[in-house]
């Protein structure tokens, strides 16, 4: 049994505050506390990254535990083992004695062992006449018993982290496969889009990962690739849908014939257009439109190529372009040639900003259907101005869209507040 007093190292080894703290903690064993030594050892193996010990140090712990006569660590059975270095070497698969001493020092520094040296530095035990151990000198396993719950908790955290990383890596592998095959299919089918640029971005994200990434690094890359996969899928689906609509007008009630083709406005390419590119002809090789506005020659009314906005929001007020540019000057930099002179320019800039802020095409398309294309572009410009205060631009836009659908949202107050903040006017109108 342990005497319970503070013990100092034999010879030239110095005493440290860490050793004193370990000995003080070892005296706090609860009455009747015990732990299965091999179950505890397995938890120790799992928790080694968080405890700062190596596999060689664990081999030494395994050898020490093999000298403990009982299966349960408990104070009643004594907690000191006293094998010689030669015996430890045999139980540690022939590990050199110098190596054993080095790893014993590591375990003591980590607070997992306590050295209990005899007067002459030897390891031995004094026994009673009946053979019971009265006092032993060697290594105390008391810290393992005291820290058993902590070690099991740390082992649980390591296992959970490993499982999380495994699941994230599986999702990343699936996402990478999806993107690679979608790009390959798009190139083989001759789908419109900057597939070389998309593939380059895809490879950049993948190659940025280190050889052994952490869960946080994998999660960050996965978020980017899932967004890219959604963009690619939406772009391809839009092109398929547009081809089906263009092949036969009777296939969809949303297709509206009009004798004035010059009034068609492409509001939302599936992928952001290149700087300075036009978005007005819908010819092969260009991104297909999501929403079209057709002007009736007689009444001058704007009809939607998709579902009409709900009646509750048909009166959502549009504001002058000059006011929008005064309130939201940052949007001008994303317009064609770096400026905005018309509503058409604002809509094209809103598409670029949507992609930059990570707003999905479906969220922006829904905003166009509910608010109207001009108001949706205006809202996107306001979101850009307040981007530093918005955690998720896509979620924020969807919330505004739902409120607009219920008739609970008006652009005016938000626009006027931004106009007062950014006065005098910085944009130019056409």
């Amino acid at each position: 049994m342990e005497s319970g007093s503070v013990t100092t190292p034999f010879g030239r080894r110095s005493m440290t505050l860490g050793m004193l703290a370990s000995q003080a903690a070892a005296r706090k064993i609860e009455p009747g506390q015990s732990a299965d030594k091999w179950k505890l050892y397995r938890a120790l193996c799992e928790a080694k990254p968080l405890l700062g010990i190596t596999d060689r140090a664990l081999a030494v712990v395994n050898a020490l535990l093999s000298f403990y006569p009982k299966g349960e660590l408990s104070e009643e059975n004594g907690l000191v083992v006293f094998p010689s270095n030669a015996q430890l070497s045999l139980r540690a698969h022939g590990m050199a004695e110098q190596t054993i001493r080095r790893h014993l020092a590591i375990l003591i520094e980590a607070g997992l062992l306590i050295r209990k040296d005899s007067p002459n530095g030897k390891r031995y035990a004094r026994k009673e006449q009946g053979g019971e151990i009265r006092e032993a000198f060697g290594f105390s396993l008391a810290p393992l018993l005291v820290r058993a719950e902590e070690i099991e908790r740390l082992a649980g955290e390591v296992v959970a982290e490993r499982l999380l990383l495994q699941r994230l890596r599986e999702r990343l592998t699936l996402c990478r496969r999806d993107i690679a095959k979608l790009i390959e299919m798009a190139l083989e089918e001759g789908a419109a889009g900057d597939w070389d640029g998309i593939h380059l971005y895809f490879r950049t994200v993948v190659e940025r990962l280190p050889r052994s990434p952490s869960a946080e690094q994998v999660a960050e890359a996965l978020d980017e690739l899932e967004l890219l996969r959604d963009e690619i899928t939406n772009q391809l689906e839009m092109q398929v849908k547009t081809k089906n609509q263009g092949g036969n007008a009777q296939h969809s009630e949303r297709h509206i014939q009009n004798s004035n083709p010059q009034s068609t406005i492409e509001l939302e390419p599936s992928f952001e257009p290149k700087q300075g590119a036009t978005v007005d002809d819908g010819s092969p090789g260009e991104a297909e439109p999501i929403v079209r506005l057709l002007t009736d020659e007689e009444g001058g009314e704007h009809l939607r190529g998709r579902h009409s906005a709900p009646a509750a929001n048909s009166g959502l007020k549009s504001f002058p372009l000059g006011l929008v540019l005064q309130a939201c000057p940052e949007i001008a930099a994303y317009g064609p040639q770096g400026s905005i002179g018309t509503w058409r320019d604002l809509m094209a800039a809103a598409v670029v900003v949507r992609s930059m802020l990570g707003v999905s095409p479906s969220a922006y398309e829904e905003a166009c259907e509910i608010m109207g294309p001009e108001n949706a572009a205006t809202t996107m410009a306001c979101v850009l101005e307040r981007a530093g205060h918005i955690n998720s631009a896509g979620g924020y836009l969807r919330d505004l869209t739902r409120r607009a659908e219920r008739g609970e949202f008006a652009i005016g107050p938000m626009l006027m507040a931004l106009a007062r903040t950014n006065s005098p006017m910085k944009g130019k109108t056409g």
Side-chain angles (χ1 to χ4, degrees):
M1 300 291 290
E2 294 183 73
S3 64
S5 61
V6 174
T7 62
T8 56
F10 171 79
R12 291 179 295 178
R13 289 189 294 266
S14 59
M15 185 69 176
T16 66
L17 286 175
M19 294 168 61
L20 186 63
S22 296
Q23 292 183 33
R27 293 195 294 271
K28 297 179 180 178
I29 298 176
E30 299 291 336
Q33 184 178 355
S34 64
D36 184 287
K37 65 178 182 180
W38 296 122
K39 181 179 178 182
L40 182 58
Y41 175 71
R42 287 192 292 271
L44 197 63
C45 291
E46 292 284 5
K48 71 173 184 177
L50 300 181
L51 292 171
I53 55 178
T54 64
D55 52 350
R56 304 296 296 277
L58 287 172
V60 175
V61 173
N62 181 78
L64 288 172
L65 289 174
S66 70
F67 286 102
Y68 191 77
K70 304 292 184 179
E72 294 276 333
L73 289 177
S74 66
E75 195 172 21
E76 288 74 12
N77 297 323
L79 291 170
V80 177
V81 291
F82 40 91
S84 66
N85 283 344
Q87 292 174 315
L88 273 177
S89 178
L90 290 175
R91 300 278 181 101
H93 310 291
M95 187 183 297
E97 291 188 19
Q98 273 189 325
T99 306
I100 288 176
R101 284 194 291 269
R102 184 169 67 251
H103 289 296
L104 284 170
I106 291 173
L107 291 168
I108 292 170
E109 185 179 353
L112 298 174
L113 289 179
I114 292 175
R115 188 187 298 274
K116 187 177 180 183
D117 288 342
S118 65
N120 61 2
K122 302 295 183 180
R123 299 172 199 154
Y124 59 87
R126 297 190 183 278
K127 297 183 179 180
E128 302 286 356
Q129 291 182 353
E132 296 179 354
I133 296 177
R134 183 182 64 186
E135 188 171 18
F137 298 97
F139 296 102
S140 172
L141 305 176
L144 291 177
L145 181 58
V146 172
R147 300 179 63 182
E149 291 186 1
E150 176 195 355
I151 292 171
E152 291 177 358
R153 176 179 56 79
L154 293 176
E157 291 178 5
V158 172
V159 171
E161 180 75 12
R162 184 169 64 244
L163 292 176
L164 173 62
L165 180 59
Q166 180 182 347
R167 288 194 293 268
L168 288 173
R169 290 175 75 100
E170 288 174 353
R171 288 176 56 192
L172 182 67
T173 299
L174 293 174
C175 191
R176 288 175 59 181
R177 185 182 70 191
D178 293 344
I179 293 174
K181 289 186 178 292
L182 286 172
I183 293 176
E184 181 182 3
M185 180 268 292
L187 291 173
E188 290 178 354
E189 298 290 336
D194 182 15
W195 300 110
D196 289 337
I198 294 173
H199 183 262
L200 178 61
Y201 174 72
F202 168 54
R203 296 308 310 168
T204 300
V205 174
V206 172
E207 292 170 0
R208 193 168 62 223
L209 284 171
R211 187 178 183 85
S212 299
S214 65
E216 291 77 9
Q217 291 171 323
V218 175
E220 182 180 354
L222 180 61
D223 288 342
E224 294 185 56
L225 291 183
E226 285 182 337
L227 181 60
L228 178 62
R229 181 178 60 185
D230 292 343
E231 291 277 0
I232 294 173
T233 303
N234 285 330
Q235 181 172 355
L236 294 174
E237 288 178 350
M238 297 300 176
Q239 294 188 34
V240 171
K241 186 185 300 183
T242 305
K243 287 180 182 178
N244 291 339
Q245 290 178 350
N248 188 347
Q250 301 301 323
H251 288 172
S252 175
E253 296 179 357
R254 292 177 292 179
H255 185 79
I256 301 177
Q257 297 289 344
N258 191 284
S259 59
N260 182 13
Q262 300 300 323
S263 63
T264 300
I265 297 176
E266 293 184 1
L267 179 61
E268 170 80 82
S270 299
F271 218 80
E272 59 257 38
K274 295 180 180 179
Q275 190 75 307
T278 58
V279 291
D280 57 347
D281 59 14
S283 59
E286 297 293 328
E288 296 294 334
I290 289 179
V291 179
R292 294 170 179 259
L293 295 182
L294 303 177
T295 306
D296 184 74
E297 291 180 344
E298 296 180 358
E301 296 179 352
H302 291 83
L303 301 177
R304 297 229 171 113
R306 301 207 55 163
H307 294 300
S308 298
N313 301 295
S314 59
L316 194 63
K317 181 180 179 182
S318 296
F319 290 83
L321 180 60
L323 176 60
V324 175
L325 295 178
Q326 176 186 348
C328 309
E330 290 187 16
I331 192 73
Y334 299 92
Q337 308 302 325
S339 63
I340 293 177
T342 64
W343 278 107
R344 189 188 195 86
D345 294 342
L346 181 64
M347 294 176 189
V351 172
V352 178
V353 170
R354 171 202 67 74
S355 179
M356 182 191 71
L357 294 179
V359 177
S360 66
S362 61
Y364 189 61
E365 178 186 357
E366 183 181 6
C368 292
E369 291 176 358
I370 301 299
M371 302 180 184
E374 294 90 351
N375 287 329
T378 301
T379 303
M380 204 70 247
C382 294
V383 171
L384 176 64
E385 287 292 324
R386 303 188 67 248
H389 305 283
I390 298 174
N391 292 330
S392 172
Y396 185 70
L397 181 62
R398 286 189 185 276
D399 180 66
L400 294 182
T401 302
R402 286 192 293 267
R403 289 168 55 192
E405 188 175 18
R406 298 193 300 265
E408 300 173 357
F409 170 65
I411 301 176
M414 180 167 60
L415 202 61
M416 294 305 176
L418 289 172
R420 287 192 297 270
T421 302
N422 297 319
S423 184
M425 185 175 69
K426 299 178 182 179
K428 295 182 180 180
T429 61

